[in-house]
Amino acid sequence: MNLTHKQKELLIALKNVLVYGDTKLNTVGMDYTKVKAKKQVLFLMAGAIQSYSEAVLKLLEPPVVYDKAAEVIFRSMMETIINLNYIYSEKTQIKALCFMIYSSEEKIDFAKKHQKFMLKRPQWQLAFGPNLKPADWDEFIDNENKTMVLAEKHFKKKLVNKFQRNLAKRAKEADVYLEKKGKLKQGNSLEHQYFLYYKHFSQLAHLTMPGLEQFINKKDNSKWTYVIDGNGDDLERVCFVTFGLYLDFLRFFLKEYGIYNKEEWGNHLKELKRISRTTSEI
């Protein structure tokens, strides 16, 4: 694949900022017994964003560009960003705590469904980890319920079933928070990014007809051919949005953990802006 000079520079710049971010993240250690819920969630999300961003880079590096798979990963990154901003959309720790409890709720939901299916198909081999039979799930479910009860007792707050299930509504709530502070604009609107990226890339993630059609080229009404791999333009598109999202997240993380260096971070932003202004010459 022949890449333009701009596209080659973009890949190098993305790799450099990911190396920088990885180095900074590895200087942070967290004693979860001494850190509040918001920063605990942020710490966990940073690991996911770092891993997913590196995966996007790998998928975009020639000789083959897997732009569509990269977009599916970017969709998950966008969901994480929406969740983070939703959690930080108020001064208290309540949304972070509800997010943590939501994890137990999801585990219980999975366990009950798996248990129910075991009962439906007793002749099938449906072991899941240490759970060999339906009754084995009871202890797991009981432990998760106890965790939620203890959390509510410790924090003296109602946390169960309090996390906003709808991602679009979480994005809207985060925007409302920014608007009240007079800081909402198109560039940081999560509701805008939800529709621009998350909903669009959901077509590929779920492989609905619009998603499936991105793997074909319709030459005429009767002739379809496959388009499995992306090209330089696809690389450029996905690389730019990943770079921007990662850079914004990294700044937020570094500030929260008190290790932000404006000059270091700013050098990567300058490089992104410089490349975006260059022409696409071979």
Side-chain angles (χ1 to χ4, degrees):
M1 175 183 292
N2 292 322
L3 297 182
T4 65
H5 180 68
K6 178 179 181 178
Q7 291 159 359
K8 291 175 182 177
E9 282 197 315
L10 186 56
L11 280 175
I12 292 171
L14 178 58
K15 184 175 183 178
N16 288 341
V17 75
L18 290 175
V19 170
Y20 170 71
D22 183 68
T23 301
K24 299 294 282 187
L25 260 62
N26 282 305
T27 65
V28 177
M30 187 192 70
D31 183 346
Y32 75 92
T33 63
K34 298 179 181 179
V35 175
K36 291 184 178 180
K38 279 184 181 178
K39 290 185 73 172
Q40 288 184 30
V41 173
L42 175 60
F43 186 89
L44 295 171
M45 287 181 171
I49 291 292
Q50 182 68 34
S51 177
Y52 276 23
S53 299
E54 291 177 10
V56 168
L57 175 63
K58 291 294 183 184
L59 289 167
L60 296 180
E61 286 181 319
V64 181
V65 173
Y66 298 105
D67 60 304
K68 301 168 190 67
E71 288 175 355
V72 173
I73 294 178
F74 182 83
R75 172 184 178 271
S76 294
M77 292 169 62
M78 178 54 63
E79 182 172 359
T80 302
I81 295 300
I82 291 173
N83 287 337
L84 176 66
N85 281 272
Y86 171 76
I87 288 168
Y88 272 81
S89 64
E90 64 174 59
K91 293 182 179 180
T92 72
Q93 304 292 318
I94 189 67
K95 287 182 177 177
L97 293 170
C98 290
F99 181 73
M100 291 177 168
I101 289 298
Y102 180 56
S103 174
S104 288
E105 294 174 42
E106 288 281 278
K107 290 176 184 177
I108 291 171
D109 180 66
F110 171 80
K112 287 182 176 180
K113 287 176 179 176
H114 201 285
Q115 184 182 52
K116 185 177 180 180
F117 194 68
M118 280 180 157
L119 292 169
K120 181 180 179 179
R121 303 293 183 189
Q123 71 277 20
W124 292 3
Q125 299 297 317
L126 298 174
F128 188 88
N131 303 299
L132 306 179
K133 55 187 184 298
D136 293 339
W137 282 108
D138 292 334
E139 183 179 357
F140 176 86
I141 294 170
D142 185 55
N143 287 337
E144 291 298 327
N145 277 317
K146 286 178 180 177
T147 296
M148 294 191 293
V149 170
L150 289 172
E152 289 189 329
K153 185 176 180 180
H154 176 77
F155 293 107
K156 299 179 181 179
K157 298 284 185 180
K158 176 64 177 175
L159 304 174
V160 179
N161 294 321
K162 290 295 183 180
F163 187 72
Q164 173 58 257
R165 266 36 174 200
N166 187 288
L167 185 66
K169 290 182 179 179
R170 295 202 290 272
K172 289 178 183 179
E173 286 190 37
D175 275 8
V176 169
Y177 175 75
L178 288 176
E179 193 164 24
K180 287 180 179 178
K181 296 180 69 176
K183 295 183 178 180
L184 181 65
K185 50 189 178 182
Q186 182 175 335
N188 64 7
S189 169
L190 289 170
E191 186 176 9
H192 174 243
Q193 293 178 36
Y194 170 82
F195 289 111
L196 182 65
Y197 297 118
Y198 185 85
K199 288 297 289 182
H200 177 67
F201 292 156
S202 290
Q203 297 171 356
L204 276 170
H206 300 302
L207 290 180
T208 56
M209 279 302 295
L212 291 171
E213 287 174 352
Q214 294 187 47
F215 293 92
I216 63 169
N217 179 35
K218 298 180 180 179
K219 291 186 175 181
D220 54 52
N221 292 332
S222 61
K223 183 70 174 179
W224 289 0
T225 56
Y226 286 117
V227 182
I228 306 299
D229 308 325
N231 55 35
D233 291 338
D234 297 321
L235 179 155
E236 194 171 317
R237 183 187 69 254
V238 182
C239 205
F240 267 123
V241 294
T242 302
F243 200 140
L245 182 147
Y246 178 81
L247 203 55
D248 282 343
F249 176 85
L250 183 62
R251 177 175 57 181
F252 183 81
F253 176 86
L254 297 178
K255 284 185 174 182
E256 283 292 295
Y257 276 89
I259 55 173
Y260 175 66
N261 184 304
K262 186 177 181 180
E263 183 179 359
E264 289 179 355
W265 182 89
N267 287 335
H268 293 285
L269 177 60
K270 289 177 184 177
E271 184 67 356
L272 176 61
K273 289 181 176 180
R274 183 191 68 78
I275 295 171
S276 68
R277 291 192 295 264
T278 60
T279 57
S280 299
E281 296 179 356
I282 298 294

